[in-house]
Amino acid sequence: MQEPPSAAGIGLANWNWKVVHQFVARRCGIGLSRSSCLNYLQRLGFVLKRPKKRLVKADARKRESFVVEYAALADEARRSGAKIFFADEAHFRVDAELRGKWVLKGEPALVDSSSPRYGEKASYYSAVCLETGEVEWI
C-alpha cells in the first residue's frame, strides 16, 4: 500500500475505497463494504486531503531571476516616483477537479496539472497598484 495501485496490478491512479475493494477481492477473494475499505485506508495511515496542484511547467531559475529583477525595479521606482502595478488573471477552465484524495498521513496530496488550451478557458485580467489602490481590468 506504500506504492500506487498500479504496482498492485490495479489500473487506477490513486488509492480510494474502490481500489481497496478490488485489491482485497483479488488477493483474498472476499468483498468488503465501502465503510470497511475506508476503515482499512485509515488504519494503514492514509488520510483524506484536498490535493494541491503540482505545476509541471514551473521553472525555478526563471523565478529566481524575477526576484532579483523585481528588487532592482522596486528600488528604481522609489527613486523616480513611478507606480508599480501587479497584474493577475483568473481563468475559468477545464482542469483537474480538486476534491479529496487518500494519501499517507504527512504526505502532500498533489495532482499533476497542465494549463488547458486557450479555447478551453475564459480569462479575466486585472492590475492593482498597492500604493494608491488604483485598479485596471480587462
Side-chain angles (χ1 to χ4, degrees), residues 58-74:
D59 186 341
R61 287 179 290 166
K62 285 184 180 178
R63 183 186 182 285
E64 288 176 30
S65 174
F66 169 79
V67 169
V68 170
E69 289 176 24
Y70 177 74
L73 180 65

Side-chain angles (χ1 to χ4, degrees), residues 4-76:
S6 59
I10 299 172
L12 296 172
N14 299 305
W15 286 106
N16 59 46
W17 78 267
K18 291 179 182 179
V19 175
V20 173
H21 181 78
Q22 286 181 19
F23 181 79
V24 171
R26 286 185 185 178
R27 292 281 173 106
C28 304
I30 59 173
L32 295 176
S33 68
R34 178 181 181 272
S35 61
S36 293
C37 293
L38 293 173
N39 286 337
Y40 279 117
L41 281 169
Q42 290 177 338
R43 287 181 194 158
L44 291 168
F46 286 83
V47 292
L48 185 63
K49 289 185 181 180
R50 186 173 182 167
K52 296 179 182 177
K53 293 180 185 178
R54 177 180 31 237
L55 300 177
V56 295
K57 295 181 180 181
D59 186 341
R61 287 179 290 166
K62 285 184 180 178
R63 183 186 182 285
E64 288 176 30
S65 174
F66 169 79
V67 169
V68 170
E69 289 176 24
Y70 177 74
L73 180 65
D75 288 341
E76 178 64 27

